[in-house]
């Protein structure tokens, strides 16, 4: 559909800004690690803004209750946290509007066994 094509075109155009920033960072001669880190943080922020604009939400459930619809448990661990709580996020997940396009990969506190 035309609307779909236009949507992708708008999304692509927004991504060009991020690509420009990456290319600018790569052309800097004698950049320090600090320069690079600042550039990366700026580019990361730009990309996050593009995501937000197009309804892509980050799933980062550190300390939240485990939700199998949004999170994928890699392992269970002993923890001070309440049972069935996300202890660590190994990889953030993403939602496009209300649809999970990648679940967050997490470790979860063990449920109490008697």
């Amino acid at each position: 559909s035309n609307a779909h094509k236009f949507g992708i075109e708008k999304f692509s155009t927004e991504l060009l800004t991020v690509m420009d920033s990456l290319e600018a960072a790569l052309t800097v001669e004698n950049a320090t690690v600090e320069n690079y880190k600042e550039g990366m943080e700026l580019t990361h922020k730009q990309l996050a803004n593009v995501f937000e604009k197009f309804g892509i939400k980050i799933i980062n459930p550190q300390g939240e209750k485990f939700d199998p619809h949004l999170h994928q448990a890699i392992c269970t661990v002993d923890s001070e946290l309440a049972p069935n709580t996300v202890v660590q996020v190994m990889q953030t997940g993403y939602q496009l509007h209300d649809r999970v396009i990648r679940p967050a990969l997490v470790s979860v506190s063990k449920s109490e066994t008697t």
Side-chain angles (χ1 to χ4, degrees):
S1 75
N2 253 353
H4 181 68
K5 271 188 190 155
F6 183 64
I8 289 177
E9 190 177 321
K10 277 184 74 171
F11 184 64
S12 306
T13 306
E14 293 280 345
L15 281 181
L16 297 182
T17 320
V18 180
M19 182 57 113
D20 291 342
S21 294
L22 286 171
E23 285 178 347
L26 291 171
T27 59
V28 174
E29 297 287 326
N30 311 317
T32 64
V33 175
E34 285 79 24
N35 293 153
Y36 265 128
K37 193 170 185 319
E38 276 172 30
M40 281 296 113
E41 281 167 357
L42 194 69
T43 307
H44 183 265
K45 197 174 278 175
Q46 275 182 328
L47 190 55
N49 286 340
V50 174
F51 280 9
E52 201 174 298
K53 200 177 272 191
F54 289 90
I56 301 171
K57 290 199 286 278
I58 297 169
I59 305 171
N60 190 3
Q62 185 88 41
E64 293 172 20
K65 191 176 176 359
F66 175 71
D67 179 345
H69 301 296
L70 301 174
H71 317 144
Q72 187 180 333
I74 294 176
C75 58
T76 54
V77 293
D78 290 316
S79 169
E80 304 290 301
L81 297 169
N84 221 21
T85 303
V86 173
V87 177
Q88 193 188 352
V89 179
M90 285 80 157
Q91 188 181 62
T92 52
Y94 289 91
Q95 262 177 296
L96 178 57
H97 304 295
D98 296 324
R99 189 159 149 230
V100 175
I101 52 179
R102 185 176 86 186
L105 298 183
V106 301
S107 64
V108 180
S109 55
K110 285 184 176 149
S111 42
E112 290 170 63
T113 47
T114 44

